[in-house]
């Protein structure tokens, strides 16, 4: 983890009541998706996944250390940036994760937690990945738990958000969990961000929180008649994505990205009961991306568990892709993101 813009000061060497630790952690976009779990609570996945860590879509998390006799308090920034007591849907998993980290450290302190996302939450833009990565890294520092990135990735996964295990690293990341002898293997870096400057232009078409959580989607995945075929296809896709990243070959990566995105949604829609994460607006964007490609623009789509569309392209095509997406009627906002360096400790505290 890099040091970010400021020094965390005395927090590093001591744990005093009133000390604050802030970590900024990025979201990530999965090229090969984690979908379906062997253990949902601890996010032990059914399959390996590969992602690219983003730069602009980030969560900032400040922990203020308090004496152990008071309960934890969780605050979440609203759209205007004002911290408000977090709703249960946010606070309960955060409290649960803090509790298990504290248990590992043998007790210690209580926390006031402040969290803010730079992008819309719970709409399939992996705010749980960035949020739980930031919380885990800040708490691990506060509790003087782990410093090794692999161990931190393992702790982030315990939040129940598997994709958080990947957001601990910058660049291109593979999470091999769920296989063979080491079912709980942490994520590891495939390539650093400076290996390949890939851009992700995100077409935001929906900002209403999704009705079915990705956790519930994971739970239902195995009820889809297409799920077994998906698991069988994954090793080939992983090999193609690894090779494409290594060779910086977007034309090789793109078709696999799209296959993966379509299949994730196919499995979701054919689960019992079915889950519809995409919307007519999603398909409109997908159509536009295919149209761009016919005109020679190197752009490829992918979606996570939500209606919003990530469009991957090279820096030279980014302005064109962004302006075309912004011109589509259902697109409310375009976020121009790209591969990022990973989490950092920061001195701008929320509390
Ligand atoms: O990390 P979770 O439990 O929110 O699940 C992530 C699921 C996807 O975003 C759809 C795929 C992925 O690998 O990020």
């Amino acid at each position: 983890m890099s040091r970010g813009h400021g020094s965390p000061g005395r927090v590093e060497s001591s744990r005093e009541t009133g000390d604050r630790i802030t970590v900024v952690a990025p979201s990530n976009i999965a090229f090969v998706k984690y979908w379906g779990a062997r253990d949902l609570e601890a996010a032990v996945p059914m399959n390996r996944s590969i992602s690219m860590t983003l730069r602009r879509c980030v969560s900032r998390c400040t922990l203020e250390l308090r004496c152990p006799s008071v309960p934890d308090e969780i605050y979440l920034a609203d759209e205007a940036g004002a911290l408000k007591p977090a709703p249960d849907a946010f606070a309960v998993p955060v409290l649960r994760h803090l509790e298990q980290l504290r248990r590992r450290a043998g007790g210690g302190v209580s926390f006031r937690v402040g969290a803010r996302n730079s992008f819309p939450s719970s709409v399939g833009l992996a705010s749980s990945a960035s949020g739980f990565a930031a919380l885990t890294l800040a708490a691990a520092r506060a509790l003087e738990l782990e410093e090794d990135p692999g161990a931190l990735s393992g702790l982030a996964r315990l939040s129940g958000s598997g994709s958080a295990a990947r957001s601990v690293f910058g660049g291109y990341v593979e999470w091999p969990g769920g296989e063979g002898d080491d079912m709980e293997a942490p994520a590891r870096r495939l390539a650093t961000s400076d290996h390949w400057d890939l851009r992700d232009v995100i077409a935001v078409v929906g900002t209403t929180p999704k009705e079915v959580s990705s956790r519930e989607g994971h739970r239902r995945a195995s009820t889809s008649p297409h799920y077994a075929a998906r698991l069988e296809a994954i090793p080939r896709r992983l090999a193609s994505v690894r090779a494409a990243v290594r060779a910086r070959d977007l034309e090789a990566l793109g078709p696999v990205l799209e296959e993966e995105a379509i299949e994730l949604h196919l499995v979701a829609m054919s689960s019992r009961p079915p889950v519809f994460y995409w919307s007519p607006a999603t398909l409109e964007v997908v159509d536009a991306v295919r149209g761009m490609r016919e005109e020679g623009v190197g752009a490829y789509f992918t979606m996570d568990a939500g209606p919003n569309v990530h469009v991957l392209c090279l820096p030279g095509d980014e302005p064109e892709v962004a302006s075309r997406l912004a011109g589509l009627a259902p697109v409310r906002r375009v976020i121009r993101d790209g591969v990022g360096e990973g989490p950092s400790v920061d001195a701008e505290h929320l509390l």
Side-chain angles (χ1 to χ4, degrees):
M1 180 166 49
S2 78
R3 225 346 100 79
H5 324 295
S7 156
R10 67 204 167 98
V11 164
E12 183 133 44
S13 54
S14 66
R15 290 184 290 163
E16 288 173 25
T17 304
D19 279 353
R20 288 170 298 166
I21 298 171
T22 294
V23 170
V24 177
S27 174
N28 65 75
I29 177 63
F31 293 170
V32 176
K33 321 277 186 190
Y34 151 46
W35 200 241
R38 290 170 205 274
D39 176 346
L40 263 177
E41 289 293 307
V44 178
M46 285 296 289
N47 66 277
R48 282 180 177 239
S49 53
I50 296 181
S51 59
M52 177 177 96
T53 298
L54 299 178
R55 190 176 56 224
R56 295 222 171 95
C57 288
V58 295
S59 297
R60 177 178 295 272
C61 175
T62 297
L63 294 187
E64 185 184 85
L65 280 63
R66 313 174 79 205
C67 85
S69 58
V70 297
D72 297 323
E73 288 174 17
I74 319 293
Y75 297 88
L76 177 64
D78 63 16
E79 278 182 20
L83 285 181
K84 303 269 168 65
D88 280 358
F90 183 89
V92 169
V94 167
L95 288 166
R96 171 186 164 271
H97 191 44
L98 281 178
E99 193 45 47
Q100 62 182 343
L101 294 178
R102 204 165 18 220
R103 258 201 317 273
R104 282 179 174 244
V109 287
S110 283
F111 296 109
R112 272 176 86 215
V113 181
R116 187 172 75 205
N117 295 327
S118 70
F119 59 104
S121 312
S122 304
V123 294
L125 293 177
S127 57
S128 64
S130 51
F132 277 113
L135 178 75
T136 304
L137 295 174
R141 254 182 126 74
L143 296 165
E144 293 171 349
L145 269 172
E146 308 278 357
E147 288 187 9
D148 168 66
L152 288 166
S153 166
L155 291 181
R157 173 182 59 76
L158 294 176
S159 66
S161 169
S163 49
R166 298 188 309 243
S167 270
V168 166
F169 297 91
Y172 300 86
V173 182
E174 177 158 355
W175 176 30
E179 292 169 354
D181 293 341
D182 198 358
M183 303 285 275
E184 306 197 359
R188 62 186 173 83
R189 186 164 15 218
L190 279 181
T192 53
S193 56
D194 56 7
H195 167 72
W196 191 18
D197 183 5
L198 202 52
R199 303 293 164 90
D200 179 9
V201 185
I202 306 167
V204 179
V205 295
T207 50
T208 333
K210 54 191 172 201
E211 279 170 22
V212 181
S213 65
S214 48
R215 174 172 294 211
E216 184 54 29
H218 288 299
R219 192 195 311 278
R220 293 183 199 174
S222 63
T223 65
S224 162
H226 303 289
Y227 191 58
R230 163 169 175 71
L231 291 180
E232 230 177 274
I234 295 264
R236 176 184 56 78
R237 292 195 192 128
L238 289 163
S240 306
V241 167
R242 272 185 223 117
V245 168
R246 202 177 310 123
R248 303 182 193 90
D249 184 347
L250 182 58
E251 279 181 27
L253 176 66
V256 190
L257 274 188
E258 297 193 346
E259 221 176 278
E260 262 296 288
I262 293 166
E263 198 172 84
L264 167 78
H265 289 261
L266 167 77
V267 167
M269 285 190 287
S270 55
S271 293
R272 296 179 190 134
V275 192
F276 294 93
Y277 286 121
W278 68 16
S279 68
T282 311
L283 293 182
E284 210 171 307
V285 178
V286 163
D287 228 34
V289 173
R290 288 155 64 101
M292 284 185 221
R293 242 185 359 254
E294 273 168 25
E295 293 174 40
V297 181
Y300 297 87
F301 65 82
T302 185
M303 295 82 74
D304 277 344
N308 299 309
V309 186
H310 295 252
V311 183
L312 279 291
C313 62
L314 296 176
D317 283 322
E318 188 195 344
E320 175 73 12
V321 170
S323 98
R324 290 208 192 194
L325 292 178
L328 298 173
V331 173
R332 298 172 186 201
R333 181 177 161 198
V334 166
I335 302 172
R336 291 171 70 158
D337 212 327
V339 64
E341 289 173 16
S344 59
V345 176
D346 199 280
E348 192 192 309
H349 303 301
L350 293 175
L351 296 165

